[in-house]
């Protein structure tokens, strides 16, 4: 692991511990993030993005244990679901009391995604020790930026910390698959 990579992980975590909003490369697209347990940080993120507060965000977690912290109901077959997924997948489940209340959807659910294959996000979430809010780095209603060069300059200026990792990549990325976990354990695809 390079010093530059380590420094960017440290800087992102330091900003998050200060309850700041970061602009960072997620395991899918460029995103805005903050500590998922800090309501004022979530409020600042929504204001920066100009997102209506009733639209919830995704929370990135490091593993099944952290998933269970933020889900009031954990799918019994979560380990099998994670092992079988072929691309980043967000699971919509009932949220727990550990999340900032302003992160939950009107029906009390939250989208949780275990960052399995992205070393940067995994290390940031692991070091933070909390879930990391992940919402696309676009003003509400604008296209989702698959590349850093597509991020609205207002968001770059408005973020407390802009992660320098992967800014020069030219391979376009796409948002995650989103599925709702139904009461019987079946999955309803919301976005593929």
């Amino acid at each position: 692991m390079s010093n530059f990579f380590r420094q960017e992980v440290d800087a992102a975590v330091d900003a998050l511990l200060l309850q700041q909003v970061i602009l960072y490369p997620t395991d899918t697209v460029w995103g805005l993030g903050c500590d998922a347990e800090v309501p004022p940080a979530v409020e600042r993120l929504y204001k920066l993005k100009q997102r209506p507060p009733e639209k919830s965000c995704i929370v990135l977690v490091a593993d099944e244990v952290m998933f269970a912290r933020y889900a009031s109901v954990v799918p019994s077959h979560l380990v099998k679901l994670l092992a079988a997924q072929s691309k980043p997948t967000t699971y919509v489940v009932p949220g727990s009391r550990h999340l900032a209340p302003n992160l939950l959807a009107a029906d009390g659910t939250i989208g949780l995604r275990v960052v399995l294959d992205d070393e940067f996000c995994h290390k940031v979430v692991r070091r933070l020790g909390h879930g990391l809010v992940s919402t696309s780095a676009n003003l509400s209603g604008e296209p989702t930026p698959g590349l850093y060069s597509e991020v609205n300059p207002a968001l770059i200026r408005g973020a407390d910390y802009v992660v320098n990792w992967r800014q020069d990549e030219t391979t376009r990325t796409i948002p995650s698959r989103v599925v709702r976990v139904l009461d019987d354990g079946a999955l309803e695809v919301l976005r593929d």
Side-chain angles (χ1 to χ4, degrees):
M1 182 180 2
S2 73
N3 280 342
F4 176 66
F5 178 85
R6 209 174 356 259
Q7 289 168 349
E8 285 306 304
V9 169
D10 290 347
V13 172
D14 288 348
L16 293 165
L17 290 171
L18 291 171
Q19 302 183 3
Q20 295 180 336
V21 174
I22 65 169
L23 173 65
Y24 69 107
T26 75
D27 57 331
T28 56
V29 298
W30 273 82
L32 292 169
C34 64
D35 186 325
E37 296 190 20
V38 180
V42 173
E43 187 176 324
R44 286 192 56 240
L45 182 146
Y46 273 81
K47 187 175 181 182
L48 175 62
K49 188 176 166 81
Q50 300 174 16
R51 185 180 181 111
E54 63 273 4
K55 291 186 86 176
S56 63
C57 295
I58 291 168
V59 175
L60 302 181
V61 297
D63 52 32
E64 296 89 350
V65 173
M66 196 178 281
F67 189 106
R69 175 175 173 78
Y70 297 120
S72 62
V73 177
V74 178
S76 60
H77 55 309
L78 178 64
V79 173
K80 287 182 183 174
L81 289 172
L82 294 174
Q85 72 186 33
S86 58
K87 62 181 177 179
T89 302
T90 301
Y91 298 91
V92 177
V93 295
S96 79
R97 62 180 174 76
H98 297 289
L99 289 163
N102 50 344
L103 263 182
L104 297 173
D107 65 358
T109 59
I110 189 69
L112 299 175
R113 185 164 73 244
V114 179
V115 283
L116 298 172
D117 298 322
D118 186 274
E119 187 180 13
F120 180 80
C121 288
H122 187 81
K123 288 200 179 307
V124 167
V125 173
R126 177 72 64 213
R127 285 244 357 257
L128 179 63
H130 288 174
L132 173 60
V133 172
S134 177
T135 182
S136 56
N138 58 315
L139 295 174
S140 196
E142 287 185 351
T144 299
L147 301 169
Y148 176 76
S149 61
E150 298 172 347
V151 176
N152 185 311
L155 295 178
I156 295 170
R157 288 189 304 272
D160 296 302
Y161 183 71
V162 177
V163 172
N164 293 301
W165 187 249
R166 292 178 31 207
Q167 285 187 6
D168 56 354
E169 286 186 354
T170 57
T171 303
R172 179 164 303 290
T173 57
I174 58 171
S176 72
R177 177 177 190 239
V178 179
V179 296
R180 180 182 305 276
V181 182
L182 304 177
D183 291 339
D184 64 1
L187 301 179
E188 173 191 3
V189 176
L190 304 177
R191 179 177 73 201
D192 207 6

